[in-house]
Amino acid sequence: MTTGVQVRRRMGVEERRQQLIGVALELFSRRSPDEVSIDEIASAAGISRPLVYHYFPGKLSLYEAALKRAADDLATRFVEPQEGPLGARLLRVMRRYFDFVDEHGPGFSALMRGGPAVGSSATNALVDGVRQAAYLQILVHLDINRPPARLELVIRSWISLAESTALIWLDGRRIPRAQLEAQLVHDFAALTAVSAAYDDEMATLLRRMLKDEPAEGPFTDLVGRLIALAS
Amino acid sequence: MTTGVQVRRRMGVEERRQQLIGVALELFSRRSPDEVSIDEIASAAGISRPLVYHYFPGKLSLYEAALKRAADDLATRFVEPQEGPLGARLLRVMRRYFDFVDEHGPGFSALMRGGPAVGSSATNALVDGVRQAAYLQILVHLDINRPPARLELVIRSWISLAESTALIWLDGRRIPRAQLEAQLVHDFAALTAVSAAYDDEMATLLRRMLKDEPAEGPFTDLVGRLIALAS
């Protein structure tokens, strides 16, 4: 007589590790990692608690592996073909960014707000890696290799603006996410324009950024509305 | 015969604690807290290492006490009389904010970047407390008790923009700080304007914010330059 358990194919080490990472990530996406126990992860994976420790020496190492997978996933979403107007490209990336934030809500909040389970040098390095991937993608789309200090500042500080906007959205979801995706595209243009208002190099860059924007694109729409607002 | 040490008046417990906090804060303002040992703090305070542990059970508790003093100091700098144009008020606060960042460079970076010595729930609570103090001060100056969700988002995300701008500035100081102080004031207006371009309530608020701005103020100057840039 064979039971269901015995029939089930034995997983290899790497396959089992990947399964546990997936299970953990799924649990972390619904509740803060601090609130998820190894027992729950074991139970959701259908294995014993000691067996989890066989694959991951502790919860932190499983957390870091899950975060690594999520970070790789997020970095992939930043990649966008270098075709068409910049505003539309950035808007598509913002949609995929909010998809990610939506899918990983509690885990994303816990990580970015710095709960007790986070703040290790490995998790900080992963978060910094994602920020750096976002920064480099933007440079690629702007077609710039050696950014002036002011442009680097605009891009990096806008990335932190995008993070905080997502975090604030998760806390109650009081504004429709589609509006915030568009707002972040507009914010990028606005912060660049502020820098350009006081620096010639940035002004040249802004003009180049805007020259191929279509009338129906997010940048042109914003400029039209701002002019209407000012008058 | 009396030596200098014997002559020196004995400090009370609270006085000694305050002295150690001051010494630690001074060391943390020149090097990352991770790199400062209890031995150094003891030596700089002119007492033995065991005596430091008599006043603070460990480095983390001394770090938290130092951070508490720095947080209280920073929150004090946000306070500004409710007089005169808003842009000029915010610019004065930005100057004091950069004074603080300048004075506490390495400690500020280590804290905000989340090094190993940080990330405890107590330190996170202190950082959140400072952000909340900044948020409430801005509401006071805008004369608003119950902010709509979009205004809360603009203010809170701008606060994170100010943090990242300061952090990027500290990393190489490649842009004069006075320019960044003004830029953050402009950024606040720009982010508010982006939100106002798509929301009537925010548009009303923006008009109220700008109505008393003088021609030579930072907001008017920005609008003039942006119009010149667009044409």
Side-chain angles (χ1 to χ4, degrees):
Chain A
M1 201 178 92
T2 50
T3 68
V5 173
Q6 282 167 327
V7 162
R8 196 187 291 165
R9 185 177 57 82
R10 269 284 196 69
M11 286 188 186
V13 172
E14 193 46 37
E15 194 182 356
R16 178 65 85 187
R17 279 178 57 91
Q18 293 304 323
Q19 181 219 12
L20 284 169
I21 291 170
V23 164
L25 210 48
E26 166 66 22
L27 290 168
F28 297 160
S29 71
R30 283 184 275 133
R31 268 154 49 233
S32 170
D34 297 329
E35 296 164 9
V36 177
S37 66
I38 287 286
D39 281 327
E40 271 181 276
I41 293 167
S43 160
I47 65 176
S48 69
R49 179 189 165 90
L51 201 51
V52 175
Y53 284 112
H54 176 70
Y55 294 101
F56 293 95
K59 193 175 148 185
L60 182 61
S61 78
L62 177 51
Y63 177 71
E64 284 173 359
L67 190 59
K68 173 79 172 67
R69 186 190 284 181
D72 289 345
D73 171 17
L74 179 53
T76 307
R77 303 189 196 206
F78 295 152
V79 181
E80 168 73 25
Q82 288 174 255
E83 288 160 18
L86 288 172
R89 293 185 212 173
L90 190 54
L91 186 58
R92 285 192 292 271
V93 174
M94 286 300 98
R95 275 189 204 132
R96 295 198 295 269
Y97 175 62
F98 270 83
D99 283 344
F100 176 90
V101 170
D102 206 355
E103 288 160 24
H104 295 279
F108 182 82
S109 285
L111 175 66
M112 305 309 286
R113 290 195 193 278
V118 301
S120 76
S121 51
T123 59
N124 284 333
L126 282 169
V127 172
D128 281 344
V130 172
R131 287 176 183 148
Q132 184 66 10
Y135 173 67
L136 294 176
Q137 275 299 318
I138 293 174
L139 287 184
V140 164
H141 285 275
L142 294 178
D143 199 16
I144 286 174
N145 285 315
R146 296 163 57 95
R150 280 164 217 280
L151 178 62
E152 178 172 348
L153 177 74
V154 165
I155 301 174
R156 292 197 190 275
S157 62
W158 175 82
I159 290 168
S160 82
L161 188 82
E163 285 172 13
S164 59
T165 298
L167 277 172
I168 294 164
W169 174 69
L170 279 174
D171 184 15
R173 306 191 181 209
R174 290 178 294 157
I175 304 172
R177 55 168 268 193
Q179 292 182 15
L180 296 183
E181 291 158 17
Q183 182 170 301
L184 282 167
V185 175
H186 296 144
D187 287 344
F188 185 82
L191 296 177
T192 307
V194 165
S195 191
Y198 293 87
D199 184 80
D200 289 341
E201 193 175 18
M202 287 296 291
T204 306
L205 219 141
L206 180 67
R207 282 195 201 92
R208 195 156 68 77
M209 231 173 87
L210 296 181
K211 79 173 163 33
D212 295 325
E213 289 304 301
E216 71 280 9
F219 290 155
T220 318
D221 187 63
L222 174 67
V223 172
R225 284 170 181 264
L226 287 178
I227 290 169
L229 194 68
S231 63
Chain B
M1 200 178 92
T2 51
T3 70
V5 173
Q6 283 167 326
V7 163
R8 195 187 291 166
R9 183 178 57 83
R10 270 283 197 68
M11 286 189 187
V13 172
E14 193 48 35
E15 193 181 358
R16 178 65 85 185
R17 280 179 57 92
Q18 293 305 323
Q19 181 220 10
L20 284 169
I21 291 171
V23 164
L25 210 49
E26 167 65 22
L27 289 169
F28 297 161
S29 71
R30 283 184 275 134
R31 268 154 51 233
S32 170
D34 296 330
E35 297 164 7
V36 176
S37 67
I38 287 286
D39 280 326
E40 273 181 276
I41 294 167
S43 162
I47 65 176
S48 70
R49 180 189 165 89
L51 200 53
V52 175
Y53 285 112
H54 175 71
Y55 294 102
F56 293 96
K59 193 174 146 185
L60 182 61
S61 77
L62 177 51
Y63 178 70
E64 285 173 359
L67 190 59
K68 172 80 171 67
R69 187 191 285 181
D72 290 345
D73 171 16
L74 180 53
T76 307
R77 302 190 196 205
F78 296 152
V79 181
E80 169 72 25
Q82 289 174 254
E83 288 160 20
L86 287 173
R89 292 185 213 173
L90 191 54
L91 186 58
R92 284 191 292 270
V93 174
M94 286 300 97
R95 276 191 203 131
R96 294 197 296 268
Y97 175 61
F98 270 82
D99 283 344
F100 176 90
V101 170
D102 205 355
E103 288 161 25
H104 295 278
F108 182 81
S109 285
L111 175 67
M112 305 310 286
R113 290 196 193 278
V118 302
S120 76
S121 51
T123 59
N124 284 333
L126 281 170
V127 172
D128 282 345
V130 172
R131 288 175 182 148
Q132 184 66 10
Y135 174 66
L136 294 176
Q137 275 299 317
I138 292 174
L139 287 184
V140 163
H141 285 275
L142 294 177
D143 198 18
I144 286 174
N145 285 316
R146 297 163 57 96
R150 280 164 217 281
L151 178 63
E152 179 171 347
L153 177 74
V154 164
I155 301 174
R156 291 196 190 277
S157 62
W158 175 82
I159 289 168
S160 81
L161 188 82
E163 285 172 13
S164 59
T165 298
L167 277 172
I168 294 164
W169 174 70
L170 279 175
D171 184 15
R173 306 191 181 209
R174 290 178 294 158
I175 304 172
R177 56 168 271 195
Q179 292 182 15
L180 296 183
E181 293 159 17
Q183 182 170 300
L184 282 168
V185 175
H186 296 144
D187 287 344
F188 185 82
L191 296 176
T192 308
V194 165
S195 191
Y198 294 87
D199 184 81
D200 288 343
E201 192 175 18
M202 287 297 289
T204 306
L205 218 141
L206 180 66
R207 281 194 202 92
R208 195 157 68 77
M209 231 174 85
L210 296 181
K211 78 171 163 34
D212 295 327
E213 289 304 301
E216 71 281 8
F219 291 155
T220 317
D221 187 63
L222 174 68
V223 172
R225 283 168 181 264
L226 287 177
I227 289 170
L229 195 67
S231 63

